[in-house]
Amino acid sequence: MADQDTLHRRGLLFILSSPSGAGKTTISRMLLEREEDIKLSISATTRPPRPNEVDGEDYYFVSDAEFDRMVEEDDFYEWAHVFGHRYGTPKGVIRKALKDGQDFLFDIDWQGTQQLKQKDDQDVVTVFILPPSIEELRRRLESRASDSPDVIDSRMERAKAEISHWAEYEYVVINNDLDACFEKVREILAAERMRRQRQTGLIPFVRELME
Ligand SMILES: Nc1nc2c(ncn2[C@@H]2O[C@H](COP(=O)(O)OP(=O)(O)O)[C@@H](O)[C@H]2O)c(=O)[nH]1
Ligand SMILES: Nc1ncnc2c1ncn2[C@@H]1O[C@H](COP(=O)(O)OP(=O)(O)O)[C@@H](O)[C@H]1O
């Protein structure tokens, strides 16, 4: 947002994707806690909540019928089937807030990333988080202890498919040491905020020099 050290600029859509278990939820939470002026884009999903999840904070947990209605009413920027459930990004206030310089964080998969890039390539920044190894990915999924062994197996299969899309992203960061990974993600955000194309206003002395 505009202050004495920054020019007025458009907001950006900061997308973090990773195979399930690589750490994007953890990194998203750190970013929202420690970084000012970025809001989470909260998705709607037909998946049931996990015990620690809160409706309206982690997701909008909706029924199949409600999701159908939202699709019919064109309420989504994009939506996709993932693990047998549906997930979508409600348009809500996003478009207007971008103009005012509000940044949004998206924790979405490669399908959603492709759709958002098609709709709004200039505002999108894409970051892919990789685990240090496949074995470590399985360990993390097991340590999260929120899924049955069958679900973990299917998440591992899906992880391999998700990883095959890594080359479609602008940035790739390996989540080995959590704090180091977080700092890299934060540096990407800081640099992207300063891109000249995002600046929509000139400070007076620059405008005078341009005249
Ligand atoms: N396309 C799309 N994918 C989403 C959306 N919200 C979440 N996802 C993806 O759905 C997948 C499953 O999410 P979740 O059930 O929370 O498990 P997670 O793997 O622990 O994040 C993840 O890959 C998310 O990135 C959305 O709005 N659109
Ligand atoms: N760098 C890391 N080292 C060790 N464990 C991690 C690291 N990053 C995340 N984890 C743990 O791995 C599990 C999966 O992380 P999570 O953020 O839920 O992944 P995702 O959202 O990508 O599915 C969680 O239990 C989390 O605490």
Side-chain angles (χ1 to χ4, degrees):
M1 298 267 191
D3 60 34
Q4 284 190 328
D5 298 327
T6 55
L7 299 166
H8 185 73
R9 63 173 176 85
R10 279 181 68 79
L12 48 85
L13 304 176
F14 196 69
I15 302 183
L16 286 184
S17 296
S18 77
S20 185
K24 69 190 166 307
T25 305
T26 309
I27 289 177
S28 298
R29 287 196 178 137
M30 290 169 82
L31 206 58
L32 292 166
E33 272 165 26
R34 299 189 201 175
E35 195 60 49
E36 285 175 17
D37 299 332
I38 190 159
K39 277 191 194 164
L40 183 66
S41 162
I42 300 174
S43 299
T45 181
T46 57
R47 160 169 87 61
R50 297 185 184 131
N52 58 338
E53 288 179 327
V54 179
D55 186 41
E57 279 182 25
D58 298 283
Y59 284 104
Y60 298 109
F61 294 98
V62 299
S63 65
D64 270 315
E66 278 173 274
F67 203 96
D68 286 341
R69 186 188 54 73
M70 292 176 81
V71 172
E72 267 164 36
E73 292 180 1
D74 198 24
D75 281 349
F76 290 118
Y77 242 133
E78 61 77 33
W79 68 272
H81 285 277
V82 189
F83 306 128
H85 297 290
R86 288 180 292 171
Y87 295 79
T89 305
K91 283 185 196 153
V93 295
I94 290 182
R95 276 182 198 266
K96 184 187 170 302
L98 276 179
K99 270 197 190 152
D100 297 337
Q102 176 65 56
D103 298 328
F104 287 95
L105 174 65
F106 289 77
D107 167 349
I108 56 176
D109 74 341
W110 64 270
Q111 306 172 78
T113 304
Q114 283 188 351
Q115 292 183 58
L116 272 187
K117 271 166 76 171
Q118 275 165 13
K119 291 211 171 132
D120 187 3
D121 195 33
Q122 61 160 348
D123 296 321
V124 165
V125 177
T126 57
V127 183
F128 197 81
I129 297 171
L130 277 177
S133 67
I134 287 287
E135 296 73 31
E136 174 62 15
L137 185 66
R138 180 174 277 278
R139 268 195 294 278
R140 286 185 194 169
L141 283 173
E142 285 167 354
S143 76
R144 193 163 65 183
S146 60
D147 295 315
S148 65
D150 276 1
V151 173
I152 289 181
D153 283 345
S154 79
R155 281 182 186 272
M156 284 301 291
E157 279 315 302
R158 198 172 158 94
K160 289 174 193 162
E162 181 90 22
I163 289 170
S164 72
H165 290 276
W166 78 297
E168 294 156 25
Y169 287 74
E170 293 162 290
Y171 296 94
V172 60
V173 184
I174 296 175
N175 181 15
N176 189 13
D177 177 78
L178 180 60
D179 287 324
C181 178
F182 171 70
E183 279 311 318
K184 286 178 188 157
V185 171
R186 192 182 212 178
E187 282 162 13
I188 295 168
L189 176 61
E192 286 286 342
R193 282 174 164 168
M194 289 182 277
R195 262 189 198 273
R196 206 226 351 105
Q197 298 96 299
R198 298 197 206 290
Q199 316 307 327
T200 53
L202 287 175
I203 42 180
F205 84 88
V206 180
R207 192 180 307 119
E208 278 162 28
L209 283 172
M210 304 280 293
E211 280 166 3

